Amino acid sequence: MVLVSVQYRLTKESEKWGGVDAITWPAQGEDCLDAVQYVYENASKLGIDRSRMACWGGSAGGHLCAYTALAGSERSEKTTLRAAVSYYPPTNILELYSDIDPKVGIDRHVLQADSFESLLLGSAKTGIGLGEIIEHLNTTTAPWPHLLQLAESVDPEMYISNKSPNMLIAHGTMDHTVPFKQGERLAAALAHFKRTRVFLTAEGCDLAAEPRSCWQKTIIDTSAWLYPQAQETSRVA
């Protein structure tokens, strides 16, 4: 087994990358797709079987893993993965706030211009937060249609097709960072398109759960699911 850790542009690193435009979505998604393509093209040198590649990520990494697996299968053979494991992923930022369970709550702000989601959509340049975009969903004058389209393009389910790989999604029911319903959304979308998916519910677990024993069974179950995926003869189920 070979592990590759993908580094991608962060929304608070605009100075490092030459400005806000360089760290606005889809920069992060493109970084991940480029990484998969690099591994594919250099597989023999890296000792990797290019027909058995998969991704695994959590939180923002879970979102990017899901995006990479789904968008990559549409992009080219060089960015197609066999399987994907996505832990507690944000999957629909336009619905993220409404998905918050009042019994669980959330430990961060989402709608303001300095939230992770808003920065992903270029708020450091426009000053427009996710909350304002949601308020203008039906506005047809600039800049709202562009911002709405940009926000929708972040959603992994937009890229589900009959080429999509098998996916496992895991989410904790007491997640205070990414609402549990976000994971459910992606699982439901995959089911709607009749794609193979597994949804693991980590009862009582938070994204940053301590002790880590809260996630032990989920990780064991994930490993048991993932191993056979790499043994199949075809890359995509």
Side-chain angles (χ1 to χ4, degrees):
M1 178 182 292
V2 179
L3 298 179
V4 178
S5 178
V6 177
Q7 303 299 308
Y8 57 88
R9 283 168 282 182
L10 302 178
T11 55
K12 294 189 176 181
E13 293 182 337
S14 59
E15 293 185 6
K16 177 180 178 180
W17 297 104
V20 174
D21 290 341
I23 50 84
T24 299
W25 182 263
Q28 299 75 14
E30 289 299 317
D31 287 346
C32 293
L33 289 170
D34 288 346
V36 173
Q37 181 168 331
Y38 174 85
V39 172
Y40 181 95
E41 292 174 345
N42 293 274
S44 58
K45 182 169 61 177
L46 297 170
I48 292 174
D49 182 346
R50 62 174 55 159
S51 71
R52 297 164 63 185
M53 298 193 302
C55 67
W56 186 335
S59 193
H63 161 261
L64 287 172
C65 176
Y67 169 83
T68 302
L70 297 171
S73 64
E74 288 293 295
R75 181 172 175 173
S76 78
E77 175 71 12
K78 294 182 178 182
T79 54
T80 298
L81 296 171
R82 167 71 63 75
V85 175
S86 182
Y87 273 28
Y88 31 85
T91 62
N92 187 322
I93 62 174
L94 291 173
E95 298 291 344
L96 196 149
Y97 185 78
S98 63
D99 281 349
I100 298 172
D101 184 338
K103 297 179 181 178
V104 178
I106 195 165
D107 62 6
R108 63 193 182 88
H109 58 265
V110 174
L111 302 179
Q112 290 90 327
D114 62 345
S115 71
F116 294 126
E117 292 77 14
S118 297
L119 291 170
L120 196 65
L121 302 177
S123 65
K125 181 177 182 178
T126 65
I128 298 173
L130 178 61
E132 290 183 83
I133 296 174
I134 294 172
E135 290 174 0
H136 290 83
L137 291 181
N138 298 315
T139 303
T140 58
T141 55
W144 307 110
H146 166 72
L147 290 174
L148 174 59
Q149 184 179 32
L150 184 63
E152 290 176 335
S153 73
V154 176
D155 185 355
E157 74 175 65
M158 297 290 290
Y159 308 95
I160 299 173
S161 73
N162 59 5
K163 298 178 183 178
S164 298
N166 295 341
M167 290 192 67
L168 182 147
I169 304 158
H171 218 119
T173 58
M174 293 300 293
D175 198 320
H176 292 82
T177 305
V178 180
F180 177 75
K181 191 172 181 179
Q182 288 276 296
E184 287 187 313
R185 282 184 179 277
L186 182 56
L190 288 163
H192 178 75
F193 281 88
K194 296 182 172 57
R195 304 313 299 155
T196 302
R197 85 278 179 253
V198 173
F199 185 71
L200 299 181
T201 298
E203 290 291 344
C205 291
D206 191 5
L207 183 155
E210 294 293 346
R212 286 294 178 181
S213 58
C214 190
W215 284 96
Q216 282 183 356
K217 184 180 185 305
T218 305
I219 293 172
I220 292 171
D221 290 344
T222 301
S223 300
W225 175 86
L226 184 59
Y227 181 78
Q229 303 301 315
Q231 309 309 309
E232 299 293 334
T233 55
S234 62
R235 297 186 66 198
V236 180

